[in-house]
Amino acid sequence: FDPGTGFLSTDHAYVSDFDIFGNHSLFQLINRTTTESGNQLLAQWLSAQRYRMARPCARLKPHYGAA
């Protein structure tokens, strides 16, 4: 499978530090895409620098004054 060497970037915060793309990389290990658009989507997911954290459920919030 494609090692994703075309997605390597020296400007990215962690791509080169954690071997995200290239030979023996995370991309090559988990990539089982069969289309170019699938390749690109996987590369986008692995190189995304921000994630939106979901809000915790109200029931998980601490109950003040509870025994």
Side-chain angles (χ1 to χ4, degrees):
F1 288 96
D2 180 13
T5 52
F7 300 111
L8 284 169
S9 172
T10 56
D11 297 331
H12 194 277
Y14 61 81
V15 164
S16 60
D17 290 340
F18 293 116
D19 295 326
I20 302 296
F21 302 110
N23 290 324
H24 310 290
S25 65
L26 178 62
F27 183 88
Q28 188 174 30
L29 180 67
I30 65 173
N31 179 23
R32 295 300 175 258
T33 61
T34 57
T35 62
E36 185 60 32
S37 61
N39 244 5
Q40 291 175 358
L41 182 60
L42 179 59
Q44 287 173 359
W45 284 345
L46 291 175
S47 60
Q49 294 188 35
R50 286 187 230 179
Y51 293 97
R52 183 176 173 185
M53 300 299 287
R55 289 184 178 173
C57 293
R59 66 183 174 162
L60 297 177
K61 292 181 182 177
H63 294 281
Y64 296 102

